[in-house]
Amino acid sequence: MATMIPAVSWLRACWTLLVCCLLTPGVQGQEFLLRVEPQNPVLPAGGSLLVNCSTDCPSAEQVTLETSLSKELVDNGTGWAAHRVSNVTGNSRILCSGYCNGSQIIGSTGITVYRLPERVELAPLPPWQPVGQNFTLHCQVEGGSPRTNLTVVLLRWEEELSRQPAVEELAEVTATVLAGRGDHGAHFSCRTELDLQLQGLRLLVNTSAPRWLRTFALPVTPPRLVAPRFLEVETSWPVDCTLDGLFPASEAQVHLALGDQVLNATVTNHGDMLTATATATARADQEGAREIICNVTLGGERLEARKNLTVFNGPKIDRAKCPQHLKWKDKTRQVLQCQARGNPSPQLRCLKEGSSQEVPVGIPFLVNVTHNGTYQCQAVSSLGKYTLVVVINIEGELTRGHGAGLASPGGGGVRDRGGRILTSRFLCTARNSHFVPVLLAVLTTLGVVTVVVALTYVFRARKQRGLYHVRQESPSLPLTSMPTEAMREEPSRVE
Ligand SMILES: *[C@@H]1O[C@H](CO)[C@@H](O)[C@H](O)[C@H]1NC(C)=O
Ligand SMILES: *[C@@H]1O[C@H](CO)[C@@H](O)[C@H](O)[C@H]1NC(C)=O
Ligand SMILES: *[C@@H]1O[C@H](CO)[C@@H](O)[C@H](O)[C@H]1NC(C)=O
Ligand SMILES: *[C@@H]1O[C@H](CO)[C@@H](O)[C@H](O)[C@H]1NC(C)=O
Ligand SMILES: *[C@@H]1O[C@H](CO)[C@@H](O)[C@H](O)[C@H]1NC(C)=O
Ligand SMILES: *[C@@H]1O[C@H](CO)[C@@H](O)[C@H](O)[C@H]1NC(C)=O
């Protein structure tokens, strides 16, 4: 006979010894039994119990409960006594004793104490589990007794994946699970079962907090990216990124970018297919070689597609940096300041209208009258061309202009390759429509000069007689002012 009291104290050892000594002789001469009710009770740790000691012996005396547990008498009668035993923290044995016809009679029972586990915990699952790969469920169970009746069950929803006894005080139970698509969003949990059904209790169950699993599948191929190879600044073009074989496609994240510019993508999915579309608009500062990037992220993994793209400007000539009306003096060094920009870099040439005569751009050169004219400045690249008209006026020298112009209107001119007379030192100052009035003016002047000469002659004759006024007035005649005024007009070609 051994007690099951865990904390063995000296007092308890003595008590046990006493029980044994009392019990042995009594069993033989016992006609009446001392009943202990209930028999083999099971109660939770710290619980209490009503114990009834009773006998059918008509002359029963001193019926009582003998225990080291705390007890109190609840009620008694002839041949019985009921006690409440409280704070039962461990398995114990209790004893009832009494006297019948002067002989001691006894009865006993064991008390089984059970405890529910203090902790049942399913370890966190991987945040994303690849489909087709194993993962492990870990369940930890702390406390709980009696251990022999404690079982740990791992569950997917209500499906039992594994059932194992909890042996150690801190028991860890594991199960390997092959992840499938069906496990996406599945609920996993761990359950302990304390089975004391033979002792008349229902199944005592404790369940861990549930864990949800997310599974995913990514194809091995990168996304298919459809994007333009060339994109002009400030223009828009659609960009498409598609990926098939993605599970669950609805949870994939798509990132579309043009260089460092994130594109606002519209994402749609049909089954395992995901499509992201965006409109790419290149900024001026993005000119040059860029990349269109599409990355698809799912389950912490990323698939990326990149495509090279050239952001270009069609060629342009900056009007602000290219004066369109130039007035240069003949025989001076000048620079035609013009700049073209674009990507790829355009070639800039300025050719005279109607001829292939070219003026150097950005390089000093000696100006002469042949440069007079209208030029088509053209910036050309593989992506297009841009034209700006530049007019160059060459101003001849005043002093040299007079005589030559008067002498031969045509002779002082310069012919271009087309055989046209471009300018003459004098006539470059006169427009075609002015030619006749000028000629008339010249002829008139000649006439006036003739008259003046004649008058002078007459006046000289008079001077000899003491009269002389006209000579002083002669410089005021508008003879010489004509060519000077005409010189100031813009030069022009004469056909
Ligand atoms: C104890 O048992 C006796 C005999 O069976 C019974 O008469 C009595 O009522 C019981 N007392 C209690 C409190 O159950
Ligand atoms: C119950 O028993 C334990 C030791 O067995 C003791 O520490 C505790 O104080 C008791 N509680 C009550 C309420 O008597
Ligand atoms: C998964 O684990 C089981 C055993 O638990 C094993 O037979 C199987 O080969 C494993 N599968 C993979 C893909 O690792
Ligand atoms: C509980 O454990 C006890 C002692 O080990 C055993 O006799 C009993 O059969 C177990 N009960 C169940 C339901 O397993
Ligand atoms: C992104 O696109 C959607 C529709 O395509 C539009 O409603 C939204 O305003 C856009 N957001 C930005 C920041 O451009
Ligand atoms: C996707 O690519 C861009 C580069 O454009 C990068 O900044 C971003 O971090 C990437 N996303 C992920 C999840 O790696």
Side-chain angles (χ1 to χ4, degrees):
M1 198 93 224
T3 64
M4 295 188 77
I5 300 161
V8 180
S9 67
W10 183 82
L11 210 88
R12 280 190 187 180
C14 287
W15 166 251
T16 308
L17 207 66
L18 177 73
V19 167
C20 293
C21 298
L22 287 173
L23 213 61
T24 320
V27 174
Q28 264 102 28
Q30 206 172 302
E31 288 170 58
F32 294 100
L33 293 169
L34 190 58
R35 288 185 299 270
V36 185
E37 286 170 319
Q39 273 291 303
N40 299 316
V42 178
L43 66 155
S48 64
L49 179 72
L50 188 71
V51 181
N52 194 351
C53 300
S54 62
T55 179
D56 295 331
C57 174
S59 58
E61 286 176 320
Q62 294 177 43
V63 174
T64 190
L65 175 71
E66 309 284 355
T67 178
S68 61
L69 298 165
S70 57
K71 61 165 188 181
E72 58 172 320
L73 183 67
V74 172
D75 202 359
N76 63 359
T78 312
W80 64 272
H83 289 84
R84 176 164 298 277
V85 176
S86 59
N87 194 20
V88 185
T89 52
N91 292 352
S92 357
R93 231 183 146 74
I94 51 171
L95 187 84
C96 289
S97 85
Y99 288 91
C100 179
N101 301 325
S103 342
Q104 193 182 29
I105 51 170
I106 57 169
S108 74
T109 187
I111 300 177
T112 302
V113 167
Y114 70 87
R115 276 188 177 81
L116 292 173
E118 288 150 31
R119 189 166 69 91
V120 179
E121 193 174 303
L122 185 65
L125 300 175
W128 282 97
Q129 172 64 31
V131 166
Q133 287 185 25
N134 281 334
F135 70 100
T136 308
L137 296 172
H138 293 267
C139 182
Q140 284 196 337
V141 177
E142 201 179 319
S145 64
R147 282 273 153 164
T148 46
N149 299 71
L150 188 66
T151 307
V152 184
V153 186
L154 288 164
L155 301 156
R156 167 170 48 204
W157 298 112
E158 285 306 308
E159 177 197 353
E160 278 189 21
L161 299 169
S162 174
R163 169 178 284 274
Q164 295 165 50
V167 184
E168 309 290 326
E169 175 54 24
L170 179 66
E172 175 155 311
V173 170
T174 61
T176 299
V177 183
L178 182 66
R181 285 187 172 212
D183 292 322
H184 183 68
H187 165 293
F188 290 84
S189 62
C190 177
R191 184 167 79 194
T192 57
E193 292 179 356
L194 189 60
D195 190 353
L196 298 166
Q197 291 180 96
L198 289 178
Q199 285 84 351
L201 290 183
R202 60 180 178 87
L203 190 68
L204 299 167
V205 168
N206 268 28
T207 307
S208 71
R211 302 261 184 206
W212 273 269
L213 186 72
R214 291 188 296 182
T215 61
F216 76 101
L218 270 186
V220 290
T221 52
R224 196 163 53 85
L225 183 57
V226 180
R229 276 179 41 79
F230 295 95
L231 184 60
E232 191 174 350
V233 166
E234 306 299 341
T235 61
S236 297
W237 206 266
V239 174
D240 268 29
C241 183
T242 316
L243 186 59
D244 202 359
L246 204 60
F247 172 83
S250 59
E251 296 200 28
Q253 302 279 314
V254 189
H255 177 102
L256 266 177
L258 165 56
D260 58 356
Q261 182 198 356
V262 176
L263 303 178
N264 182 12
T266 306
V267 183
T268 53
N269 57 285
H270 291 285
D272 290 351
M273 169 104 90
L274 180 110
T275 308
T277 49
T279 303
T281 309
R283 298 187 310 251
D285 66 314
Q286 288 180 310
E287 218 178 284
R290 298 282 156 196
E291 270 185 326
I292 287 266
I293 304 152
C294 173
N295 55 26
V296 177
T297 312
L298 181 61
E301 287 185 25
R302 179 158 59 112
L303 286 176
E304 193 174 81
R306 285 171 184 260
K307 271 211 166 159
N308 289 335
L309 164 143
T310 305
V311 174
F312 69 93
N313 254 332
K316 269 227 170 76
I317 301 171
D318 210 331
R319 284 176 168 269
K321 289 181 185 161
C322 188
Q324 284 121 72
H325 288 279
L326 292 162
K327 217 180 259 185
W328 286 338
K329 285 226 164 20
D330 191 14
K331 302 270 186 286
T332 54
R333 289 188 85 77
Q334 301 287 355
V335 181
L336 178 56
Q337 296 286 8
C338 266
Q339 277 176 29
R341 58 187 169 81
N343 190 338
S345 284
Q347 202 196 7
L348 176 64
R349 294 180 78 189
C350 292
L351 298 176
K352 195 181 232 170
E353 261 178 11
S355 79
S356 57
Q357 194 187 351
E358 186 174 353
V359 284
V361 180
I363 305 163
F365 68 104
L366 189 65
V367 171
N368 65 44
V369 286
T370 66
H371 293 112
N372 199 69
T374 303
Y375 290 82
Q376 299 258 355
C377 287
Q378 204 164 62
V380 182
S381 82
S382 56
L383 299 166
K385 60 183 175 186
Y386 182 89
T387 308
L388 189 70
V389 173
V390 172
V391 177
I392 301 178
N393 291 330
I394 307 298
E395 290 182 338
E397 289 166 57
L398 283 175
T399 48
R400 300 209 294 129
H402 282 258
L406 280 167
S408 69
V414 174
R415 282 166 196 274
D416 69 5
R417 282 175 215 175
R420 291 176 299 173
I421 300 162
L422 293 174
T423 54
S424 80
R425 288 194 181 112
F426 181 74
L427 287 179
C428 73
T429 65
R431 295 193 177 274
N432 201 16
S433 53
H434 292 166
F435 183 71
V436 173
V438 167
L439 198 66
L440 283 173
V442 169
L443 290 173
T444 310
T445 309
L446 283 172
V448 170
V449 167
T450 312
V451 170
V452 168
V453 168
L455 284 173
T456 308
Y457 186 80
V458 173
F459 275 52
R460 260 193 201 152
R462 279 208 189 171
K463 190 196 168 191
Q464 287 168 347
R465 282 173 258 162
L467 282 168
Y468 184 68
H469 334 263
V470 178
R471 195 183 172 104
Q472 286 172 327
E473 290 175 72
S474 62
S476 66
L477 286 172
L479 294 177
T480 54
S481 66
M482 274 301 286
T484 312
E485 226 169 81
M487 262 325 247
R488 290 207 190 98
E489 287 185 37
E490 283 188 33
S492 158
R493 81 178 55 140
V494 177
E495 303 242 319

